[in-house]
Amino acid sequence: MDKKDIIFAPNVLLLDAAFLNGTVRDIKLLMGNKLGRELPDTDLVDWLICLALDGGLRGESNELQVLWVADEGVRQMPGCIPSALEELDGQACQTPIGEFSFSVVPSAGLVSRADLFAELMKLALDAKEVKRLLLVPDFYEYGEKLAKTLHDFNTESDEDDALGKVLCFLLEEPDGGFPCSIDLITYSLMHIWGIAPDDL
């Protein structure tokens, strides 16, 4: 998929596959060990519905475009259903809150995953048709770069609130703030894994 040819939907979710394969996998193992039970695989569609609801989508006729950023050669997301990226690429499904479409954007060895994520983010920010942009980055790897990109865009934009349509899902509030709205991703993961707040 050539990122220059992307036609955006009104709602876009930009998600780093490495975050699922690294951080989410580690959190799941940690929580499972703490609870003394094996947690279920992550149902990706159900989880994305949770993220979309957390991001403000309501009703039944939404369009959500999910762009998976992945390193070249990464084909699997172990512990997820579905787990193969090729099963997602170019597919779509109907959910209770609307249609979700999926595209995989590999780095192709030409740019780093961090640069690719930032470039796709800027393209979505510039696209007038995008009304809501949800981000699931690998924050600990390139969070500072992400913050700078968002800050620069906000400074250069003619809009009064250029980042008002952006929500970034993180594990915790960053020190020193962040130049867009933040939501904690842990609650949606706990819901998908069947963990009640009282369990922990």
Side-chain angles (χ1 to χ4, degrees):
M1 176 179 178
D2 189 337
K3 55 185 174 292
K4 294 180 180 178
D5 297 330
I6 295 176
I7 298 175
F8 290 106
N11 305 293
V12 176
L13 193 158
L14 186 56
L15 195 153
D16 191 327
F19 177 74
L20 278 172
N21 285 349
T23 304
V24 170
R25 179 196 60 205
D26 293 344
I27 293 172
K28 181 182 173 186
L29 181 62
L30 181 67
M31 288 187 174
N33 288 338
K34 186 170 183 178
L35 294 169
R37 68 176 189 255
E38 185 175 352
L39 298 179
D41 288 341
T42 303
D43 186 308
L44 290 178
V45 173
D46 283 351
W47 182 48
L48 294 177
I49 290 173
C50 290
L51 293 181
L53 291 171
D54 288 345
L57 270 68
R58 297 293 184 270
E60 302 175 354
S61 57
N62 300 285
E63 292 179 53
L64 179 68
Q65 180 180 26
V66 183
L67 300 177
W68 299 85
V69 176
D71 285 315
E72 184 71 9
V74 174
R75 295 181 172 84
Q76 296 288 329
M77 294 179 294
C80 296
I81 303 173
S83 61
L85 283 171
E86 65 181 11
E87 291 182 21
L88 290 168
D89 194 25
Q91 300 301 311
C93 68
Q94 194 67 34
T95 77
I97 60 172
E99 184 176 79
F100 291 6
S101 61
F102 307 97
S103 297
V104 178
V105 188
S107 62
L110 302 177
V111 295
S112 69
R113 187 167 28 83
D115 288 339
L116 179 58
F117 194 99
E119 185 173 349
L120 288 169
M121 181 179 68
K122 286 189 288 186
L123 288 172
L125 285 168
D126 284 332
K128 300 300 183 186
E129 65 269 25
V130 176
K131 306 304 180 187
R132 181 181 284 103
L133 176 59
L134 309 178
L135 305 174
V136 183
D138 196 340
F139 185 79
Y140 294 121
E141 181 178 338
Y142 51 81
E144 289 185 8
K145 180 188 208 88
L146 192 68
K148 183 179 186 308
T149 302
L150 289 167
H151 181 271
D152 290 347
F153 175 82
N154 199 46
T155 302
E156 296 165 4
S157 175
D158 294 332
E159 300 179 44
D160 292 335
D161 184 17
L163 296 180
K165 64 182 179 181
V166 182
L167 176 63
C168 189
F169 290 98
L170 301 176
L171 290 172
E172 57 187 355
E173 291 280 350
D175 293 336
F178 201 68
C180 72
S181 298
I182 298 291
D183 198 356
L184 299 184
I185 203 167
T186 316
Y187 300 114
S188 62
L189 290 171
M190 289 173 59
H191 175 75
I192 291 303
W193 295 332
I195 302 174
D198 292 343
D199 290 342
L200 299 176

